[in-house]
């Protein structure tokens, strides 16, 4: 696919745009190295997905915007998951809501710098619909801490999957194409939920190890369910964007399904791919990226 020709460009954009902010913000060498590995991988992966959506919609997306969006998404998710300071939620809500923000940690400082740089390079102020989606995402991200509870209800997990996936995907799609039409918006929301399920499916092993419950860890959804849902969206993609762009975009979705199957059924390839990913932008797409921050410890015991 054409998007894969941009892999080296995405890697270069990370080095020029994201890495200097990481070095500037994180003083502790171990923390900086961990964040670097994670944010580089996610910048490339999310950037690739956003470029694919740009080709679908006929919109060109600057590489610097793509890698910044990927880095922000990764670090924000890890901060929400790993934070134990009750005041952090309000600080992050201020940051994501475009309100005055004062960082409480070096990682929050980095996130703030990434967000402001993304806003600067976008060159426009996002519409109210985007800020509404950001507020919704923050609400569901905070709710997602319940995934560490023992016997969390399935309906809560369904709400988290739908809310996180739909809101996050709508934000990224709106960055690529501001002012989505109603049919495009609904499609972006539904795709986001399906892709969140796919992400959870790929993370079943680590999630179980860390005591995180998802619909995938409980076996409520599996790869067959996810594949059927994604295939069912092809007619809507064709209706919105045309047959040829939809075919190319569906190819990317099917590639993700294949990647998920390989990850679950051929786990021996995982460590080999992760070691080689540091030398290859292409293999970065196949390797599961580590968290930018350590996972929360003791959250479930503390009742958070």
């Amino acid at each position: 696919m054409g998007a894969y020709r941009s892999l080296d460009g995405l890697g270069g954009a990370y080095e020029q745009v994201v890495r200097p902010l990481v070095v500037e913000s994180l003083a502790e060498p171990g923390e900086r190295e961990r964040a670097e590995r994670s944010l580089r991988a996610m910048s490339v992966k999310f950037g690739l997905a956003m470029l694919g959506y740009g080709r679908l919609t006929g919109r060109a997306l600057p590489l610097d915007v793509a890698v910044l969006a990927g880095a922000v998404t990764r670090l924000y998710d890890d901060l929400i998951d790993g934070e134990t300071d009750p005041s952090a939620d309000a600080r992050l809500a201020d940051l994501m809501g475009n309100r005055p923000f004062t960082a409480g940690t070096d990682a929050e400082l980095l996130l703030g710098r990434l967000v402001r740089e993304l806003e600067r390079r976008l060159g426009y102020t996002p519409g109210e619909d985007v800020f509404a989606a950001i507020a919704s995402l923050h609400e569901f991200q905070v709710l997602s801490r319940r995934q560490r509870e023992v016997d969390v209800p399935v309906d809560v997990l369904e709400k988290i999957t739908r809310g996180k996936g739909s809101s996050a995907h709508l934000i990224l799609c709106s960055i690529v194409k501001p002012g989505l039409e109603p049919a495009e918006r609904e499609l972006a929301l539904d795709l986001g939920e399906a892709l969140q399920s796919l992400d959870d499916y790929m993370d079943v092993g680590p999630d179980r190890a860390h005591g995180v419950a998802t619909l995938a860890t409980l076996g409520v959804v599996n790869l067959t369910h996810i594949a059927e849902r994604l295939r069912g969206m092809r007619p809507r993609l064709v209706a919105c964007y045309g047959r040829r762009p939809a075919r190319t975009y569906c190819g990317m979705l099917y590639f993700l399904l294949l990647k998920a199957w390989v990850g679950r059924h051929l786990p021996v390839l995982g460590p080999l791919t992760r070691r080689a990913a540091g030398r290859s932008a292409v293999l970065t797409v196949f390797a599961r990226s580590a968290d930018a921050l350590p996972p929360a410890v003791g959250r479930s015991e503390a009742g958070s």
Side-chain angles (χ1 to χ4, degrees):
M1 285 183 288
Y4 286 86
R5 291 194 291 269
S6 302
L7 281 169
D8 288 339
L10 288 167
Y14 171 87
E15 293 295 328
Q16 294 177 11
V17 178
V18 178
R19 186 174 185 273
L21 296 176
V22 177
V23 173
E24 179 183 352
S25 304
L26 303 181
E28 202 281 313
E31 183 183 17
R32 186 169 62 241
E33 181 182 356
R34 182 187 182 108
E36 275 256 65
R37 288 197 307 269
S38 175
L39 297 184
R40 181 184 290 108
M42 196 55 67
S43 291
V44 172
K45 290 180 182 180
F46 266 69
L48 186 64
M50 293 177 74
L51 291 176
Y53 185 74
R55 286 179 170 83
L56 173 70
T57 62
R59 299 298 181 98
L61 182 70
L63 297 182
D64 55 352
V65 170
V67 297
L68 280 164
V72 167
T73 302
R74 170 85 267 182
L75 184 56
Y76 168 68
D77 187 67
D78 286 354
L79 276 168
I80 288 289
D81 183 58
E83 188 55 75
T84 56
D85 177 3
S87 65
D89 289 348
R91 290 196 300 271
L92 295 178
D94 287 339
L95 173 62
M96 304 307 286
N98 203 31
R99 296 185 292 272
F101 166 71
T102 301
T105 65
D106 287 349
E108 290 180 14
L109 176 64
L110 172 58
L111 180 63
R113 287 171 171 169
L114 290 169
V115 168
R116 299 309 178 212
E117 186 64 15
L118 175 58
E119 291 172 344
R120 186 181 74 81
R121 290 175 181 262
L122 277 176
Y124 65 87
T125 300
E128 288 301 318
D129 57 334
V130 175
F131 285 114
I134 291 172
S136 176
L137 174 62
H138 188 65
E139 174 188 346
F140 286 111
Q141 287 279 23
V142 172
L143 180 64
S144 70
R145 291 178 182 151
R146 292 198 61 188
Q147 291 176 264
R148 293 182 180 274
E149 294 178 359
V150 177
D151 297 328
V152 57
V154 169
D155 64 329
V156 172
L157 295 178
E158 290 173 342
K159 183 177 181 180
I160 291 169
T161 303
R162 180 169 57 253
K164 280 179 57 177
S166 297
S167 299
H169 195 246
L170 178 60
I171 293 165
L172 295 175
C173 290
S174 297
I175 289 175
V176 177
K177 185 184 180 186
L180 295 171
E181 298 293 332
E184 293 178 296
R185 186 179 187 278
E186 290 305 312
L187 181 56
L189 291 171
D190 290 345
L191 271 169
E193 182 179 354
L195 291 172
Q196 180 66 50
S197 293
L198 182 60
D199 186 62
D200 289 343
Y201 175 85
M202 289 190 281
D203 285 347
V204 161
D207 281 344
R208 284 175 175 163
H210 294 131
V212 176
T214 67
L215 297 175
T217 64
L218 298 182
V220 176
V221 300
N222 57 38
L223 196 59
T224 300
H225 298 142
I226 299 166
E228 289 174 350
R229 184 164 188 183
L230 290 174
R231 281 199 300 268
M233 292 182 197
R234 178 164 182 164
R236 297 168 63 187
L237 287 163
V238 172
C240 285
Y241 305 113
R243 191 169 301 278
R244 179 173 294 179
R247 182 170 61 244
T248 301
Y249 189 75
C250 285
M252 183 184 75
L253 296 178
Y254 298 153
F255 168 79
L256 293 176
L257 290 169
L258 174 62
K259 176 177 178 283
W261 185 91
V262 170
R264 288 289 296 276
H265 293 275
L266 299 174
V268 68
L269 297 180
L272 299 176
T273 305
R274 282 192 293 273
R275 284 195 292 270
R279 303 185 298 272
S280 168
V282 173
L283 289 177
T284 296
V285 179
F286 288 90
R288 181 186 182 275
S289 57
D291 296 337
L293 302 172
V297 177
R299 183 181 297 284
S300 57
E301 290 82 1
S304 301

